[in-house]
Amino acid sequence: WHTKRENGIIRKYGGKPLKKYGYDGVIRGKPVEVREARRDTRFRIQKNVHQTLVRNQGSYIFVRNNKSARVPARQVSRKLGAGRWFKDRKYPHKFLRVDDVL
């Protein structure tokens, strides 16, 4: 269900979904990652994927309650700030509030 939904969102923005580990797709030759917050008030940003998006001028598509916005990864970096990445899972991550992007 999750992958099918991401693929539809990427296509809606004119992109091509990918079937590999890492970012979710490509829009105009640039990587894109879909982040959805269904019940939470924040999006989880994974460090390694974020670094790839920034390095390759990629973007995020943030989705909540049928609202979506495409935001450049570099802009997301500014919103995340320079603080530490959380390590309570198998991968480092930070959170971005829904209100900061939608």
Side-chain angles (χ1 to χ4, degrees):
W1 178 86
H2 180 72
T3 301
K4 185 176 178 180
R5 182 151 165 84
E6 285 176 351
N7 291 347
I9 291 165
I10 292 168
R11 285 189 188 100
K12 175 183 166 190
Y13 277 83
K16 178 184 175 188
L18 299 178
K19 295 180 181 180
K20 65 175 197 66
Y21 179 76
Y23 50 88
D24 297 324
V26 177
I27 297 177
R28 292 184 205 98
K30 310 277 182 177
V32 66
E33 174 78 355
V34 177
R35 300 277 79 202
E36 186 168 14
R38 287 188 284 168
R39 291 181 214 132
D40 204 346
T41 59
R42 58 198 180 158
F43 299 104
R44 186 183 307 270
I45 305 298
Q46 190 172 330
K47 184 178 181 181
N48 65 335
V49 173
H50 181 70
Q51 290 172 330
T52 299
L53 294 178
V54 169
R55 187 173 44 252
N56 295 295
Q57 299 176 7
S59 60
Y60 287 92
I61 299 173
F62 294 106
V63 181
R64 180 148 193 231
N65 297 333
N66 295 320
K67 289 174 70 177
S68 66
R70 186 169 166 217
V71 181
R74 288 190 175 149
Q75 187 176 336
V76 171
S77 287
R78 289 191 293 275
K79 292 178 181 295
L80 290 174
R84 291 180 180 235
W85 292 83
F86 297 105
K87 294 182 180 180
D88 61 319
R89 291 191 172 210
K90 292 183 179 181
Y91 56 88
H93 60 279
K94 285 187 179 183
F95 294 102
L96 183 63
R97 291 183 10 222
V98 169
D99 293 343
D100 288 341
V101 290
L102 293 179

